[in-house]
Amino acid sequence: MHYALLINNAEPDEGDIAEEAFLQMQRAMADYTAALQAAGVLIGAEILEPQAQTVTVTRRDGDLTIQDGPFADTREALAGVFLLDVPDQDAALAWAEKHPATQYAVIEVRKVAAACDEGIWNAED
């Protein structure tokens, strides 16, 4: 079963995080990702650019709108996604508990309902 670990956190301003703390988190994230890979459960992981880089695309009543900025003005924002292939929710939660971002973020664990593999959509079991 595929589960997404969605990282949500308040975005720090430039200079809010000390260089050593940033490097320490990079090392922790690399170690965590290596453990996922070694366990054979990592499908992929992405860390997103800050909200300020966001562009939204919507179509309402036939009108297309493209605008800068996030869709919702919130304190916390989606910052990254880890996609895992694990047997069940308990296994996904066990990996989420080990995620280094739990120190500063909320990790939302959500089962994938449908996945596209090589251009074909399949419902998850």
Side-chain angles (χ1 to χ4, degrees), residues 60-84:
R60 300 290 187 264
D61 299 321
D63 295 326
L64 180 67
T65 303
I66 299 173
Q67 63 187 41
D68 291 339
F71 179 71
D73 186 20
T74 62
R75 183 173 175 272
E76 291 189 338
L78 180 62
V81 178
F82 281 69
L83 192 57
L84 308 182

Side-chain angles (χ1 to χ4, degrees), residues 4-12 17 22 26 29 44-56 70-71 74 76-83 99 101 104-106 108:
L5 306 184
L6 306 167
I7 305 166
N8 294 278
N9 62 275
E11 292 183 352
I17 302 174
F22 182 76
Q26 280 185 320
M29 198 69 75
E46 306 286 344
I47 300 299
L48 305 175
E49 287 283 332
Q51 281 191 102
Q53 306 301 321
T54 300
V55 176
T56 59
F71 179 71
T74 62
E76 291 189 338
L78 180 62
V81 178
F82 281 69
L83 192 57
H99 201 296
Y104 61 85
V106 173
E108 180 181 342

Side-chain angles (χ1 to χ4, degrees), residues 1-5 40-44 82-93 95 109-115 122-125:
M1 293 181 191
H2 292 179
Y3 280 83
L5 306 184
V41 299
L42 181 65
I43 295 171
F82 281 69
L83 192 57
L84 308 182
D85 186 1
V86 292
D88 53 35
Q89 185 182 41
D90 288 340
L93 290 170
W95 282 108
V109 178
R110 190 180 298 185
K111 185 178 181 209
V112 172
N122 297 298
E124 288 285 314
D125 294 333

Side-chain angles (χ1 to χ4, degrees), residues 8-36:
N8 294 278
N9 62 275
E11 292 183 352
D13 290 328
E14 191 170 328
D16 281 355
I17 302 174
E19 180 71 19
E20 181 53 39
F22 182 76
L23 293 173
Q24 184 179 20
M25 181 52 68
Q26 280 185 320
R27 287 189 296 273
M29 198 69 75
D31 291 345
Y32 176 73
T33 305
L36 291 169

